[in-house]
């Protein structure tokens, strides 16, 4: 993998985000392809193109949208709204338009945020043919009455929906999903931070037990397309995380899977316990956990964010820019993913093969020969806990939680006991 | 139903209580019949007469008791205790007596409340032949020694036990019971308030999903008689409420069914959540929930009161009079019953027919076409919640509680989704 | 049983502990036999001798250890460490030695407690051949350099492991275990207090429902030996308690069985509720609950102590002496055992034979004939609770806990109802 550019530090994450930031992404189109090209410098990706019109679950892959330019010009020919300044100025999936109209008519196509008059909102109209512009309320207020020339130089044609996969093969076929949406244009926290962190996370997984599958795909329609094409695979998804809003300065938030007590829910609760964090119950709103946790699939997929979906004023506005990201926050999110992977990948349920009474650990060299001391070593305690709870119903994470011992100690004890022939599984 | 007198306001409830208050009710006899006659001006009632001696479960319908007069006269011929002043003065089911006796002997038949010396207690002796008088401690203290003429002009003969039913037919045969005891004489809160509120509640139920059955019957022996005669019907009782002590100024109390998690328990917890209230666990003491929740039946029947059974000093005394009632309290109790009925009657468990991923609501006109906004409308959220939890195991009330959305919104979302062919059930 | 010496008071318990205190016990040997001889003056005991080399579960019965003398003499011939002063001075199971060596070499065989320089620690080396001495840090610091004569006059030969049983036969074959470890030398709280209290407890059990089996045996290897020889019996062990550290002035601690909700767990929680106490979850460390609660057996066995295992500074040191014991504490522990036995032995699950509605208690003489009073007697309430919950799934202890009524009242109600033919079971 040494032909790929390694993401080592928070600064590397930030640089990747900066490269991706200017691209005009949407749920289809060349912006997504260019994004995946850049990501492909860091990770081997399998890119899928799914043709317009393909039936996917209850949905249909839409026409592909591309845009070259868009603007509103005043009577003097000055661009008062200009796509070249920011791709947020155009409503995503705007149909082509080239007309002159008075401000009053134009207003029906303009979107602002009166409560944040300097910010430009992010809006889309994927499934209803329409066009529109987004701008700052201050900018709108400054427009004099009069006629304006409106141009959206976009195309909506049969094409394809683009998404990519990166797989780290494991020793077993069971899979862990990590999913990021790639459909937002110049929004840094939502979701370029997540994309960059996922790439760095993927780079660091070595020789895992489970197979790790990273999905970079547009929100909603992408997840639905992937699920439609991988329906039989869903039976072997052991766990998953939807990663979004991963770089803002707020503290970490884990949103449980619909099941609420899936393994991923317990792993995240465990690894977050030493950090400032919030855990919330599942709700069918947010990112693609909506699809993975729809009742027919009901997968053990949770969502990791910092400030959650729609929970910060900058959400879906031009203020979600590069300055909004915290390098430290991105590094911490990455650390949590790595911690979670370490636990998830090593968590196993064993069976004690000598379950009647304690096996004599001393004769196997696993126990201090000097008795009477009250300061039993952690390693010995961990072995007793693993032996006691290894009845086929408690995993090592259960043991760590019941015993209060570090997961690493518990896992090491299980290794020693397994090597001694005392555990199976 | 326009030949029946409508109970519209709290004032109407109070007027009905005032008419019923003077009647000498007991577990049998003409006082009950007269009570049902008056109630029958407001509701069509089916009145049942069950003959003395009829075996009902472990019990036997007793002889019928009627009373014309009762008094204790002093040596001057003055009535020092007088049934005509208050029917509480005579122990219920007192056998006839006509004798003269000294105060010392009479005292063994007199009941007072030393801790409330001005109040007359309410006492009965249904199943052991006896006679007695109840009076204020102050009145007893004022009686000089000497002989007293004692008269109870009552009859205890074979006759019948009287109870009434009012049924509001539903679209399904499953039934909801509302039960009030009718056996207490001049006690206002216990249970004339309950009787009046139940009648008003019954009047307001229109075209319900479930069949609503109102029972007006004497405590214990009445419920046992009804259960004995309706044993096969108990299999289709979905829920029930025993209504008592419904008009005192204390806050509302709901006592759970024996099951503790029956639908009625969840509905009452939900509708009471916005009001000052208390919820208590089931106990096998109180009103006829004792019978409905006996382990052989174990019905989903809870009990709604204001201050609960025996929880106020005026309980079973002459101080439970018309002045003890609060018109506002009676109206609030009625409101809660109506709220509960609205939820219970509309609560249903659906199955999402498009459970793999979210169905595309936009193409069905159920979703905003403009994306990107964070202020998802409540109606859309409600649809997502209903779709996500409609797996055949969650009812709309579950959805409302899990989502925090109002039940009405959830039910409206279910209607819209059902109309769109996305839900079954 | 009048040929046995009765333990009546806390003072009797203390006297028994004082007699046992000087003996040099270990997991085998004559110290244990002498201990059981003295205990046998109070209780009929069945003493078992299990030969060295016997395979017991994953273990093997070790050689028998006996010791006559041991010392370290300085150059002047003075015993600077002397077994005759305290048997704690010799590491348990020390192999014979007779040599002279310089202090530097001797030090590797010396154990002290630097944090408590005046106390002698208790150490053993059962399963690794070794020898050693324990002494106060202060005493060690006072030793001048030079040569010392070292003598351990012990034997390690094929012999047997000794344990004893005392059985109080019950009306049913199901058993309740009470287990005490007998392997500690001069340590008062750990576990002579437990041994004495168990003996007094056993003396007081009369005509029990369950069979009570008291086990006096060395820790770990004793329990493993007993389990190996009574494997088929474990199927009829209903409950058990490991009794240890039963006489220190700390408050009571109950450690739950591995199951966490076994009957013994609920009984102890109930009887401790009125006393200062702590309840902890199971952990696979401590006393012989480790063996009884190994996953293959998973018996409903908890552990009753005062300050728990290793929870006090004096633990496993010479400071756990007779002065450390509280006579009042020993008496209280005994009281709790008796309370627990009273509940456990009387707890039963009944079936109400008249479960449809309440049976008419009045006609059976079980209910007050005068109605209307709100102060229902506790006995009547208890009958209603027993009838209501006796569905085959709630025991009398459940009834006591749900009702808040004293267990004695509930049990008396069950007796009355059973006598009236209303309960089965």
């Amino acid at each position: 993998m040494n032909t790929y550019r390694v993401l080592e530090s928070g600064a590397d994450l930030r640089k990747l985000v900066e490269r991706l930031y200017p691209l005009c992404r949407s749920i289809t189109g060349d912006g997504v392809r260019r994004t995946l090209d850049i990501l492909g410098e860091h990770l081997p990706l399998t890119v899928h193109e799914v043709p317009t019109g393909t039936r996917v679950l209850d949905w249909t892959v839409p026409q592909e949208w591309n845009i070259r330019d868009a603007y509103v010009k005043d009577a003097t020919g000055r661009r008062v709204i200009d796509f070249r300044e920011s791709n947020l100025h155009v409503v995503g999936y705007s149909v082509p338009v080239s007309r002159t109209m008075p401000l009053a008519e134009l207003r029906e196509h303009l979107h602002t945020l009166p409560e944040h008059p300097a910010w430009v909102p992010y809006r889309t109209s994927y499934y209803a043919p329409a066009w529109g512009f987004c701008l700052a309320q201050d900018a709108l207020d400054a427009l004099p009455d009069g006629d304006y020339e409106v141009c959206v130089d976009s195309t909506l044609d049969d094409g394809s929906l683009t998404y990519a996969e990166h797989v780290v093969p494991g020793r077993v076929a069971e899979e862990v999903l990590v999913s990021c949406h790639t459909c937002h244009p110049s929004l840094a926290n939502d979701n370029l931070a997540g994309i960059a962190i996922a790439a760095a996370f993927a780079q660091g997984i070595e020789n895992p037990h489970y197979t790790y599958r990273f999905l970079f795909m547009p929100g909603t329609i992408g997840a639905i397309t992937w699920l439609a094409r991988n329906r039989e695979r869903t039976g072997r998804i052991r766990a998953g995380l939807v990663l979004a809003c991963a770089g803002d300065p707020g503290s970490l938030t884990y949103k449980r899977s619909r099941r609420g007590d899936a393994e991923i829910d317990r792993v995240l609760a465990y690894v977050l316990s030493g950090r400032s964090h919030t855990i919330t119950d599942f709700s069918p709103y947010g990112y693609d956990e909506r699809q993975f946790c729809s009742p027919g699939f009901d997968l053990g997929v949770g969502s990791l964010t910092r400030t959650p979906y729609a929970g910060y004023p900058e959400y879906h506005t031009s203020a979600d820019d590069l300055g909004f990201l915290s390098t430290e926050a991105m590094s911490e999110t990455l650390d949590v993913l790595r911690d979670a992977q370490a636990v998830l990948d090593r968590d196993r349920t064993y069976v004690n093969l000598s379950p009647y009474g304690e096996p004599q650990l001393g004769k196997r060299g696993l126990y201090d020969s000097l008795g009477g001391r009250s300061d039993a070593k952690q390693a010995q305690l961990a072995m007793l806990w693993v032996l006691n709870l290894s009845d086929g119903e408690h995993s090592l994470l259960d043991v760590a939680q019941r015993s209060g011992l570090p997961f690493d100690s518990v896992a090491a004890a299980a290794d020693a006991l397994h090597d001694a022939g005392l555990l199976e599984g």
Side-chain angles (χ1 to χ4, degrees), chain A:
Chain A
M1 199 185 284
N2 55 0
T3 60
Y4 293 97
R5 297 171 61 181
V6 178
L7 298 160
E8 278 179 355
S9 63
D12 292 342
L13 296 173
R14 179 174 284 278
K15 273 179 218 151
L16 175 54
V17 170
E18 287 170 358
R19 285 184 72 196
L20 299 172
Y21 185 73
L23 301 173
C24 182
R25 281 163 293 272
S26 185
I27 56 173
T28 61
D30 290 331
V32 175
R33 291 190 189 94
R34 179 70 190 124
T35 296
L36 298 177
D37 285 346
I38 293 172
L39 204 59
E41 299 174 16
H42 298 277
L43 284 178
L45 293 178
T46 303
V47 176
H48 301 262
E49 298 281 354
V50 184
T52 297
T54 305
R55 292 283 301 168
V56 285
L57 302 178
D58 187 59
W59 301 60
T60 304
V61 173
Q63 286 195 311
E64 181 178 324
W65 184 66
N66 285 289
I67 183 165
R68 274 175 299 269
D69 194 8
Y71 56 81
V72 173
K73 286 185 181 168
D74 65 14
T76 73
R78 189 175 65 90
R79 288 188 173 212
V80 295
I81 311 176
D82 187 356
F83 172 74
R84 295 179 312 199
E85 271 181 12
S86 164
N87 52 43
L88 293 180
H89 279 311
V90 177
V91 169
Y93 260 64
S94 278
V95 297
V97 61
S98 177
R99 287 173 50 199
T100 298
M101 62 185 69
L103 181 60
E105 184 182 346
L106 176 60
R107 273 182 191 278
E108 293 172 22
H109 297 270
L110 300 183
H111 305 278
T112 65
L113 289 170
E115 67 274 28
H116 294 289
W119 297 354
V120 180
Y122 162 57
R123 295 289 180 266
T124 63
S125 184
Y126 299 134
Y127 300 102
W131 62 267
F133 286 86
C134 300
L135 71 164
Q137 181 69 42
D138 288 344
L140 174 57
D141 293 343
L143 293 186
D145 280 339
D147 282 351
Y148 289 87
E149 180 192 341
V150 177
C151 168
V152 175
D153 181 11
S154 65
T155 57
L156 260 169
D157 295 307
D158 284 357
S160 60
L161 176 149
T162 310
Y163 71 88
E165 293 183 288
H166 168 73
V167 175
V168 188
R171 297 190 292 279
V172 299
E174 274 185 294
E175 296 196 355
V176 177
L177 292 185
V178 179
S179 167
C180 297
H181 63 277
T182 54
C183 52
H184 285 28
S186 293
L187 298 169
N189 191 43
D190 180 17
N191 188 28
L192 300 178
I195 291 169
I197 292 167
F201 175 39
Q203 286 182 345
I205 300 176
E206 288 178 9
N207 190 27
H209 179 76
Y210 299 115
T211 293
Y212 285 74
R213 183 176 299 271
F214 290 78
L215 304 176
F216 300 96
M217 55 196 191
T220 305
I221 187 68
I224 282 168
T225 299
W226 187 89
L227 283 163
R229 302 177 91 211
N230 292 273
R231 208 153 166 168
E232 87 297 336
R233 184 186 304 281
T234 58
R236 48 176 145 124
I237 295 173
R238 186 177 182 93
L241 279 173
V242 172
L243 186 63
C245 302
D248 67 84
S251 64
L252 288 150
T253 301
Y254 177 67
K255 174 177 155 181
R256 292 189 184 97
S257 75
R258 181 180 184 273
R259 296 182 195 165
D261 63 349
E263 188 175 23
I264 191 71
D265 301 320
R266 298 175 50 249
V267 168
L268 267 289
Y270 184 75
V271 302
L272 286 171
S273 58
R275 301 173 184 271
S276 172
H277 75 283
T278 303
I279 293 182
T280 65
D281 279 328
F282 177 77
S283 65
Y285 209 65
Y287 296 102
D288 284 332
E289 67 274 13
R290 292 163 67 159
Q291 311 309 328
F292 295 118
C293 296
S294 57
F297 293 114
D298 198 19
L299 300 176
V301 173
S303 172
L304 183 66
T305 62
R306 301 194 67 88
T307 304
Y309 173 86
Y312 45 98
E314 298 84 356
Y315 173 84
H316 278 194
T317 77
S318 56
D320 180 1
D321 59 13
L322 295 167
F324 182 55
L325 290 186
S326 155
T327 307
E328 293 69 32
M330 287 192 286
S331 294
E332 190 197 26
T333 305
L334 178 55
D335 287 344
V336 166
L337 288 169
R338 288 173 170 163
D339 290 351
Q341 194 256 340
V343 173
L344 179 64
D345 213 56
R346 181 64 190 87
D347 193 25
R348 211 85 74 249
T349 298
Y350 289 96
V351 174
N352 178 346
L353 296 173
S354 183
Y356 293 96
E358 290 172 7
Q360 192 178 3
L361 297 176
K363 71 182 182 190
R364 296 173 174 91
L366 297 174
Y367 213 75
D368 264 3
S369 60
L370 182 71
R373 304 195 327 183
S374 57
D375 59 336
K377 288 178 188 150
Q378 184 166 287
Q380 295 186 12
L381 277 177
M383 280 188 282
L384 294 176
W385 274 105
V386 170
L387 286 168
N388 191 271
L389 292 181
S390 287
D391 53 5
E393 299 196 359
H394 298 89
S395 76
L396 296 184
L397 180 55
D398 292 318
V399 177
Q401 291 188 302
R402 285 271 290 264
S403 68
L405 296 169
F407 182 84
D408 284 351
S409 298
V410 170
D415 286 341
L417 293 167
H418 190 266
D419 289 349
L422 289 168
L423 288 187
E424 180 181 73

